[in-house]
Amino acid sequence: MDTTCVRVEPTHPTHAEHLVDFLSGDTWPFHVADVVTRSQARQWVEDGRYDGPDNRAFWITRAGERAGLVRLTDLREDTPLFDLRIRSQHRGRGLGREALAWLTGHVFTEFPEVRRIEATTRQDNTAMRRALRRSGYVKEAHYRDAWPAADGRVCDAVGYAALRRDWLAGTATLPDWDDEPGAGREGRSPAAG
C-alpha cells in the first residue's frame, strides 16, 4: 500500500480547517467522545493539542487521501503517548498497524531520550489491541471500570507499551506477572484475607 505520514501544521489556516473537518467528519467509537463537533475540534486545534513542544500530529495518507491521524503527546517526557484515529472507510485494512510501525520508529528515532511509548485503549477495541500486539506493544495493565464510553457505560481499559530496547532488538519482552508474594489469591474479597 502507498501509506505515508505527513506532519500536520495547524497554525496554517487551511491545515487547521482540514483538522476540524477530519475530527468532526466521522465517528470515533472507541474514544471518550465518539462524535466531535466542529466547535470542539476547533477549540482543540486552538488549544495546541496538535502542535507544540509536547504535541505533534501527522496525517496518515493512503493513496493521497487523509485516511487517519496520529497525535503524539507528552513528547518532552521519557514515555510519550499517542492518539490514533482511522477514518471509518479505512478501518480493518491494516492501516492502524502501518501507522503504529511508523510512529514507533519515528518516536524512537527522533527522540533519543524516550525509553518507552505507552498506549491505552478500551478492552473491547479488539482491532486496536491486535494492531498493538502485532506492532511489538505488550500488554502491561488492565484497568477495571476506567474508560467512560459515549453511551454511558464504563468499560475496562488496557495499557500497552513498546520499549526502545525491544524495538532495537526486534523482540517483545513480557512483564513478570507473578512477582507478588501470595499470588493466586485473585478474586478473593479483601475481607476474606
Side-chain angles (χ1 to χ4, degrees):
M1 293 284 177
D2 180 24
T3 303
T4 59
C5 294
V6 180
R7 179 99 181 250
V8 175
E9 297 179 35
T11 55
H12 188 284
T14 305
H15 293 211
E17 278 308 302
H18 289 311
L19 260 175
V20 171
D21 291 344
F22 178 87
L23 293 166
S24 63
D26 208 333
T27 57
W28 312 106
F30 294 104
H31 287 75
V32 174
D34 61 348
V35 174
V36 178
T37 66
R38 291 187 68 76
S39 62
Q40 199 174 22
R42 193 166 279 109
Q43 187 63 54
W44 291 351
V45 172
E46 290 171 7
D47 289 346
R49 283 190 180 199
Y50 299 93
D51 194 38
D54 255 357
N55 305 305
R56 288 190 190 164
F58 298 85
W59 291 117
I60 305 162
T61 64
R62 181 173 272 179
E65 180 185 349
R66 289 184 190 97
L69 179 73
V70 63
R71 180 173 70 105
L72 303 172
T73 65
D74 296 335
L75 287 171
R76 291 188 289 187
E77 305 295 327
D78 62 1
T79 305
L81 303 165
F82 64 88
D83 176 39
L84 179 61
R85 294 174 189 258
I86 306 292
R87 282 194 168 152
S88 55
Q89 67 266 32
H90 293 281
R91 294 177 192 150
R93 299 181 180 179
L95 189 59
R97 185 174 178 194
E98 290 179 50
L100 284 170
W102 177 85
L103 82 87
T104 305
H106 175 76
V107 170
F108 285 143
T109 301
E110 296 295 317
F111 300 92
E113 68 284 359
V114 169
R115 292 180 293 118
R116 51 187 279 119
I117 305 167
E118 290 184 359
T120 305
T121 191
R122 277 185 14 192
Q123 181 185 23
D124 59 344
N125 190 349
T126 57
M128 183 64 181
R129 295 179 70 186
R130 184 174 43 254
L132 285 163
R133 286 191 310 273
R134 290 179 176 171
S135 300
Y137 285 71
V138 174
K139 182 180 174 183
E140 295 184 337
H142 192 110
Y143 306 103
R144 298 174 298 150
D145 291 348
W147 192 298
D151 62 7
R153 294 179 300 133
V154 179
C155 303
D156 286 4
V158 286
Y160 290 80
L163 303 179
R164 175 185 290 279
R165 63 182 162 92
D166 286 353
W167 178 74
L168 289 169
T171 63
T173 55
L174 299 176
D176 179 4
W177 291 110
D178 298 318
D179 67 335
E180 289 185 73
R185 294 172 42 137
E186 293 81 17
R188 296 181 68 190
S189 71

